[in-house]
Amino acid sequence: MVISVHGHLAHKNMWSDRFWDFVADNYAKSLGIPKKMVVEQMLPQFWKSNAEVFVGVMDGAGIDKALVMGVDWGMSIVGEAEWSVEEMNEWVAKQADEYPDKLAALCAIDPRRGERAVKLLERAVEEWGMKGLKFHPTAGYYPDDQKYFPLYEKCIELDVPLYSHTAAVISAPMESKYADPIYLDSVAANFPDLKIVMVHFGGMNWTLKAAEIMTARPNVYAEISAHQVAAAGMPQYWLTTLRNLLNVPSLLGPPLKDRIMFGTDWPYLLTVMGDDAWVNWVKSIPEKAKEYGLKFTQEEINKILSENAKRILKL
Ligand SMILES: [Zn+2]
């Protein structure tokens, strides 16, 4: 069984025109194609990223279950979208509802929305059945600000986890400094009953920092989406790091091998690796690792691919 704890649905109205303009600029520059081509061909394709399309991708990749989410960019430099943050999250929740055996949804909120954020989370979990709170601090905030503590208290009351992006993998105009995993450490320390998932497991550079935080904070977990980049580009380094991390005992709480989960972050990593390729990559780790003299057990891979997510997130 394969569970991806991180994927996205997208709709044009979910983000502002200014946001889409940045996306078009970024793709045009990185792919070396005219912006007009991105606007006319790529963006309309992207706007079709609904549940039906994603479930088709999951079926092709052999992913049995997935968590899907939006992103609340409204308070960032790109400004508010046509849809309110409530409308965006309700749309994601309703989309996930169409495939109850395969999809579950997270509620994406910028905590700077204050009381409105707390109310939205409550409604999302109680009325729409959403499974947790998702932050993208690169929109411009540090998660450890005490102003956001009421939101964490609400998560505990509702018994849902906080997911927060931790990686220097974000396109302009968003900024990576806010995504340093250290800013989740204070949250974990102040709220030991709050489950925190470090989305992207610190990315390429902050993985060890994220892992070190986990060894002392039993309430912190990680997922490996976006590691497609490191796995594809430096497989020996990535596999050696993963091997070592799976060996790391914890000072407090379960060992790391019981706290690392699989994710694809569809559709954002498609230029590096499709979801089917990433699933197969991780499935074949025991075989691949032999080339570098490393040994992984099937049991360890099963934990990453599904068992940890089942137990930690009750999926
Ligand atoms: Zn994502």
Side-chain angles (χ1 to χ4, degrees):
M1 184 175 196
V2 178
I3 300 176
S4 167
V5 302
H6 187 170
H8 290 272
L9 302 182
H11 188 289
K12 185 179 190 294
N13 299 350
M14 203 152 122
W15 296 315
S16 69
D17 289 345
R18 186 139 186 243
F19 174 84
W20 292 117
D21 195 52
F22 273 111
V23 173
D25 265 340
N26 289 334
Y27 272 114
K29 277 179 200 142
S30 65
L31 299 173
I33 55 176
K35 186 172 171 183
K36 192 167 180 280
M37 195 189 273
V38 178
V39 171
E40 288 174 1
Q41 292 172 28
M42 289 182 72
L43 291 187
Q45 202 57 35
F46 196 76
W47 294 330
K48 288 183 198 146
S49 304
N50 61 15
E52 189 186 355
V53 171
F54 182 48
V55 165
V57 170
M58 288 169 66
D59 288 346
I63 298 170
D64 302 282
K65 281 186 180 176
L67 277 180
V68 289
M69 60 208 77
V71 182
D72 183 6
W73 294 129
M75 306 278 290
S76 78
I77 194 169
V78 300
E80 298 288 358
E82 190 172 328
W83 280 351
S84 67
V85 65
E86 287 83 5
E87 285 172 313
M88 171 186 72
N89 281 297
E90 189 177 9
W91 179 77
V92 172
K94 295 273 150 68
Q95 286 285 309
D97 269 352
E98 290 182 21
Y99 300 89
D101 299 335
K102 288 182 173 280
L103 301 180
L106 298 178
C107 185
I109 314 179
D110 187 317
R112 290 173 291 182
R113 294 188 188 277
E115 184 56 27
R116 183 176 168 191
V118 177
K119 283 204 181 97
L120 170 55
L121 178 67
E122 189 165 37
R123 191 169 169 209
V125 173
E126 290 185 341
E127 277 182 42
W128 305 331
M130 294 180 112
K131 304 291 185 201
L133 172 63
K134 168 76 194 298
F135 277 2
H136 222 302
T138 63
Y141 57 90
Y142 292 105
D144 64 348
D145 193 315
Q146 294 200 359
K147 288 200 290 282
Y148 313 144
F149 282 14
L151 197 49
Y152 306 142
E153 280 157 14
K154 183 55 75 177
C155 281
I156 294 170
E157 187 192 314
L158 295 167
D159 192 23
V160 294
L162 165 70
Y163 291 69
S164 194
H165 175 105
T166 60
V169 182
I170 191 68
S171 47
M174 309 311 165
E175 296 174 36
S176 291
K177 63 177 181 180
Y178 302 103
D180 188 323
I182 200 66
Y183 298 109
L184 291 173
D185 179 71
S186 312
V187 182
N190 280 283
F191 296 94
D193 295 327
L194 175 64
K195 266 184 195 169
I196 299 172
V197 178
M198 289 182 167
V199 172
H200 309 310
F201 200 1
M204 224 186 273
N205 185 49
W206 292 325
T207 314
L208 285 182
K209 188 186 258 189
E212 189 172 23
I213 292 168
M214 286 167 73
T215 63
R217 307 282 181 217
N219 53 328
V220 179
Y221 304 85
E223 65 90 359
I224 61 165
S225 71
H227 283 243
Q228 291 95 314
V229 179
M234 39 187 191
Q236 181 170 7
Y237 176 82
W238 190 74
L239 283 169
T240 306
T241 304
L242 181 65
R243 175 63 274 159
N244 290 333
L245 290 175
L246 294 180
N247 294 342
V248 168
S250 246
L251 297 167
L252 294 166
L256 263 55
K257 67 175 192 286
D258 291 327
R259 291 197 259 163
I260 299 170
M261 300 176 279
F262 177 76
T264 70
D265 204 7
W266 185 82
Y268 294 104
L269 275 296
L270 291 181
T271 51
V272 176
M273 205 186 280
D275 282 30
D276 49 349
W278 183 224
V279 168
N280 287 330
W281 210 104
V282 175
K283 275 185 178 167
S284 67
I285 284 177
E287 201 48 46
K288 272 196 173 67
K290 281 183 197 162
E291 274 178 55
Y292 308 112
L294 301 165
K295 194 172 175 298
F296 286 82
T297 66
Q298 193 56 49
E299 190 201 354
E300 288 170 326
I301 302 307
N302 293 345
K303 279 175 190 268
I304 293 173
L305 280 175
S306 65
E307 283 168 24
N308 289 344
K310 257 193 241 171
R311 193 185 63 254
I312 297 162
L313 307 174
K314 298 177 209 128
L315 286 173

